[in-house]
Amino acid sequence: MGAGMGVFQELQRRELLVVTGKGGVGKTTVAATLGRSLAAAGRRTLVLEVDPRENLHQMVGLPPSGGEIVAAAPRLWVQNLKPVEVLDAIVREQLKVELLVRRVLDSPIYQHFAPGAPGLKEMAILGHALRLLRGQGEGAPALDTVVLDAPASGHGVLLLLAPLLVAEVIRSGPFGRMAEELRRLVASPERCGVVVVTQAEEMPVEEALELGAALDERLGRGADLLAVNGLYPPLPAGEEQGGGDALGDLWRRRRAVNDRQLA
C-alpha cells in the first residue's frame, strides 16, 4: 500500500481504524488487508463492513455471514453490519421490557425516524464499534482493534463528524452519553486512525484531496494513511517507449495516467 513500516506501527496502536474513500476504489480490499496485517502482527482485530451487499466475506474466503461475527483467521474476525438493526438493539438494551420494546420498534414514528435522522445511523455504526472494543454483545470476542470499512467519502466524513454534532444537541440520557464518548474516541489521534483509499485516476484523486481538506477543516485532523489501490505495475525495463501490441499500449497509457495522478 506504499506505507512505510513506521506508519503501520503507528496504526497498530489505534483502537479504531476508519477506512474511507470514493466508492469503487477498493476500500473493502484495503480494510481486509489491514485486518490481516494487524492480526499477523499480534493484534486481535475485527473488520466491520457497513454495506448491505456484504462483500467482505469474499476477501477472507468465507461464506456470507448474515450479520454474525465470524472468525476468519487467528486473531481475525469479520462482521457485516446493518445500522438499523444496531439502533433496534440499543432500544432493547435501554428499555429492557419486551412490551415497551415492541411498541417502540413497531411504531411508525420510530420506523420513519430511525433510518433518516441526521447522524443517528452514523452514531449506531460507531457505537457498535465501541461496544465491540469493550467485548459487549452476543459473540463479541476480546479485541484490540476494529477496522471499520466505512461508507464512501462524503458519508465517511459525516460518520466521523456525527458524534460531535449529536453531542452538541443531545447532552443527557443514553444517546447523549454515547455521543460524548464517541466524540472523544474519534477526536483522539492516539485512539482513532483514518485511512483514505484512492486510485491513481483523476476523479478518485480529486475526491481524496477533497476528503483530506474536509477532515482538516471540520475535524481538525488529516488522514493517517493514504492507500493508492489498483496501480498498473511499472513498465519493464526497455519497454517504456515500445509499441505495437494493443495490450502493451494500454499498459503504457494507464501507467502514464497513474504517474500523473500520483504526482
Side-chain angles (χ1 to χ4, degrees), residues 43-240:
R43 299 283 289 181
R44 293 173 61 85
T45 304
L46 186 143
V47 184
L48 183 63
E49 175 188 38
V50 185
D51 190 332
R53 295 171 296 182
E54 192 168 355
N55 295 313
L56 177 61
H57 66 280
Q58 300 176 38
M59 308 294 174
V60 293
L62 292 173
S65 68
E68 299 297 321
I69 295 173
V70 179
R75 297 180 298 276
L76 179 65
W77 293 263
V78 298
Q79 184 181 24
N80 178 269
L81 180 68
K82 295 176 176 60
V84 172
E85 292 180 3
V86 177
L87 289 173
D88 293 350
I90 292 173
V91 170
R92 290 190 178 92
E93 182 181 279
Q94 295 300 319
L95 295 181
K96 295 182 174 63
V97 179
E98 184 61 25
L99 178 61
L100 295 177
V101 169
R102 291 279 21 120
R103 283 183 177 176
V104 171
L105 297 184
D106 293 341
S107 71
I109 294 175
Y110 175 80
Q111 291 175 7
H112 284 85
F113 173 76
L120 200 56
K121 181 173 70 174
E122 290 79 12
M123 286 285 293
I125 294 168
L126 290 172
H128 183 72
L130 183 62
R131 286 170 57 82
L132 288 172
L133 288 166
R134 291 174 169 173
Q136 296 174 339
E138 186 176 348
L143 296 172
D144 300 309
T145 303
V146 170
V147 178
L148 176 55
D149 179 14
S153 300
H155 297 292
V157 173
L158 291 176
L159 175 82
L160 293 164
L161 198 61
L164 173 62
L165 298 177
V166 175
E168 289 176 346
V169 176
I170 304 175
R171 300 182 181 274
S172 60
F175 276 104
R177 290 191 295 272
M178 184 172 70
E180 177 57 28
E181 190 167 6
L182 291 173
R183 184 196 65 78
R184 291 196 300 267
L185 170 62
V186 169
S188 171
E190 292 77 27
R191 299 178 64 197
C192 176
V194 179
V195 177
V196 174
V197 184
T198 190
Q199 291 184 356
E201 308 281 346
E202 183 176 357
M203 288 184 64
V205 165
E206 195 64 37
E207 192 156 331
L209 293 172
E210 292 173 359
L211 175 56
L215 288 170
D216 181 55
E217 178 183 346
R218 305 184 73 178
L219 290 169
R221 60 173 300 168
D224 298 87
L225 174 67
L226 174 65
V228 182
N229 191 33
L231 283 174
Y232 276 68
L235 290 164
E239 294 290 330
E240 291 84 353

